[in-house]
Amino acid sequence: MFVIVIVEDHIVVHPSNFDHTVETIETELEKKYTNRVILNVGLGIALHDILEIGDANIYPADGSAHFQVKSRIVVFRPFVGEVLMGSVKSSTSEHIQLSLGFCDEIYVLPGNMPPPSAFSEPHKAWYWTYTDEEGPHQLFFDAGEKVRFCVEKIIFTPKKSAKTSQLIDGRLGQDSSSQPEIKTEPEPVYMSLHVHMIESGLGPPGWWS
């Protein structure tokens, strides 16, 4: 669900902050990456630590100090097939939207709901028709209800101005030997998850208790 990635970035420190250079760099990194999507990587959650701060460069007519900084960022990036717990945020005839609290771009399309499912216009909610010896029962996905879901696809959609982030030296991983290094200037990017609730055990936990 969460991974750590190495980010190399250019940070500028104004002369008024020279007495607090490290703290200023930490603040700037948090502004750039917290709650921001890094294209093809994931959603930045928090600054983990700073690995390296390069020498300060000061250019003519600019009194600020320019640093090359290498840091580690905690990123939300679930793997395909991972089962997560969220809540129903809203429903339309096209999908159910789920939320994890810090991430709301999670969608269940009709084909990824337990069959047979249908949308109720009066209730503005999807329901699954469960049939037992007593007959059919309509089990609704109510707004705010907790549900388990399985990640099927992660989609990154950059705006036209977005620059592509580069993954360098390895794949996403938790340990230092497999942490990727990325060089990127954050631009507006959207990340959404397409998930399913088809298998037994998915959907509202109360269905299976």
Side-chain angles (χ1 to χ4, degrees):
M1 183 173 177
F2 297 102
V3 296
I4 294 177
V5 298
I6 298 174
V7 172
E8 185 175 321
D9 209 336
H10 173 252
I11 302 295
V12 179
V13 178
H14 189 268
S16 62
N17 293 318
F18 282 173
D19 290 339
H20 309 282
T21 297
V22 175
E23 293 87 345
T24 301
I25 290 173
E26 290 176 344
T27 299
E28 290 302 312
L29 288 170
E30 288 170 350
K31 286 180 182 178
K32 294 185 78 169
Y33 293 103
T34 300
N35 202 31
R36 294 285 297 270
V37 175
I38 304 172
L39 184 60
N40 298 327
V41 178
L43 173 64
I45 300 298
L47 172 66
H48 186 274
D49 58 11
I50 294 177
L51 299 177
E52 180 182 326
I53 299 176
D55 295 334
N57 292 305
I58 300 178
Y59 302 101
D62 179 8
S64 297
H66 296 248
F67 297 91
Q68 284 300 117
V69 180
K70 185 177 291 187
S71 62
R72 294 193 294 180
I73 306 293
V74 179
V75 170
F76 169 66
R77 183 189 173 114
F79 58 83
V80 173
E82 184 172 4
V83 175
L84 303 174
M85 176 79 82
S87 60
V88 176
K89 182 178 182 180
S90 64
S91 297
T92 70
S93 59
E94 297 180 351
H95 59 248
I96 298 174
Q97 184 176 3
L98 307 178
S99 175
L100 289 171
F102 60 88
C103 178
D104 295 336
E105 301 300 317
I106 306 171
Y107 300 96
V108 189
L109 303 182
N112 288 332
M113 300 177 194
S117 292
F119 183 73
S120 169
E121 281 291 346
H123 291 87
K124 299 299 180 184
W126 284 84
Y127 65 87
W128 173 43
T129 300
Y130 170 71
T131 303
D132 59 14
E133 62 275 4
E134 297 179 359
H137 306 272
Q138 292 182 348
L139 305 180
F140 281 87
F141 294 94
D142 295 318
E145 186 170 24
K146 294 291 185 181
V147 293
R148 290 193 185 94
F149 57 89
C150 182
V151 178
E152 183 178 69
K153 185 187 300 183
I154 304 171
I155 301 172
F156 293 92
T157 307
K159 286 189 175 182
K160 291 182 179 179
S161 62
K163 301 175 184 177
T164 301
S165 303
Q166 286 185 298
L167 285 178
I168 305 171
D169 297 335
R171 301 179 299 170
L172 289 169
Q174 297 282 1
D175 58 271
S176 59
S177 62
S178 62
Q179 290 170 359
E181 181 175 336
I182 62 175
K183 294 184 178 181
T184 178
E185 183 67 22
E187 297 282 352
V189 180
Y190 301 108
M191 182 180 79
S192 61
L193 306 181
H194 283 194
V195 304
H196 75 79
M197 296 189 290
I198 297 175
E199 301 169 359
S200 296
L202 301 181
W207 289 2
W208 313 104
S209 59

